[in-house]
């Protein structure tokens, strides 16, 4: 994977089908503290629950998202700056539905923080 000049990386984009009464968790590995994660998603229907969190002891611990914007027509834009390395996850929860499956389309992007002075020195060696 290649980064652009703004240290931006498109991590993942896909369409998923979440069965009634189930959830889907998309794992995201973050290698650098201060990384900004942004994701957009939309559903074919409006009623799906979304959570973000850090995997700790094999479970997804929910975290508050910095920015959440409902764009309309079931479209959402979210972002969060993470303060430590680890495996994070975006969860889409369709457990409230007994009959309907939900199609979710998403794009996840990663923006690394500016390199520290020490990192810049290492890059120039």
């Amino acid at each position: 994977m290649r980064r652009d000049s703004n240290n931006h990386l498109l991590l993942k984009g896909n369409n998923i089908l979440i069965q009634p009464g189930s959830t889907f968790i998309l794992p995201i590995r973050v290698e650098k503290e201060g990384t900004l994660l942004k994701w957009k998603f939309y559903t074919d229907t409006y009623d799906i629950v979304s959570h973000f969190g850090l995997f700790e002891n094999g479970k997804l611990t929910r975290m508050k998202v910095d920015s959440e914007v409902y764009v309309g027509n079931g479209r959402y834009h979210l972002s969060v700056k993470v303060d430590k390395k680890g495996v994070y996850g975006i969860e889409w929860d369709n457990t409230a539905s007994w009959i309907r499956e939900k199609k979710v389309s998403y794009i996840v992007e990663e923006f690394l923080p500016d390199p520290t002075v020490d990192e810049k020195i290492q890059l120039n060696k």
Side-chain angles (χ1 to χ4, degrees):
M1 290 188 268
R2 292 184 64 105
R3 293 188 179 277
D4 66 15
S5 61
N6 296 320
N7 236 351
H8 163 259
L9 177 67
L10 176 64
L11 289 177
K12 302 177 183 201
N14 208 346
N15 299 307
I16 53 173
L17 197 58
I18 304 170
Q19 297 301 315
S22 66
T23 63
F24 174 81
I25 299 175
L26 175 69
I28 303 166
R29 179 172 301 282
V30 173
E31 300 290 339
K32 189 169 184 183
E33 297 169 359
T35 295
L36 176 66
L37 297 174
K38 290 185 176 185
W39 64 100
K40 301 173 188 176
F41 73 91
Y42 67 93
T43 63
D44 58 345
T45 57
Y46 302 101
D47 55 344
I48 194 149
V49 177
S50 174
H51 304 284
F52 175 79
L54 173 65
F55 279 100
E56 296 177 307
N57 300 320
K59 294 181 86 177
L60 187 65
T61 304
R62 291 184 186 166
M63 298 172 59
K64 184 175 185 270
V65 174
D66 297 338
S67 142
E68 180 174 339
V69 177
Y70 175 64
V71 181
N73 279 344
R75 296 176 186 272
Y76 294 85
H77 294 185
L78 299 101
S79 67
V80 65
K81 186 181 245 183
V82 296
D83 58 357
K84 63 182 184 178
K85 300 177 196 178
V87 178
Y88 292 82
I90 301 169
E91 176 182 37
W92 288 282
D93 184 338
N94 195 26
T95 56
S97 178
W98 292 78
I99 299 171
R100 275 191 269 156
E101 59 191 19
K102 304 290 172 32
K103 179 181 172 188
V104 176
S105 301
Y106 66 87
I107 294 174
V108 180
E109 299 172 288
E110 175 186 82
F111 296 85
L112 293 179
D114 292 333
T116 64
V117 172
D118 291 339
E119 290 171 334
K120 287 179 183 177
I121 291 170
Q122 288 296 329
L123 288 173
N124 290 325
K125 284 187 175 182

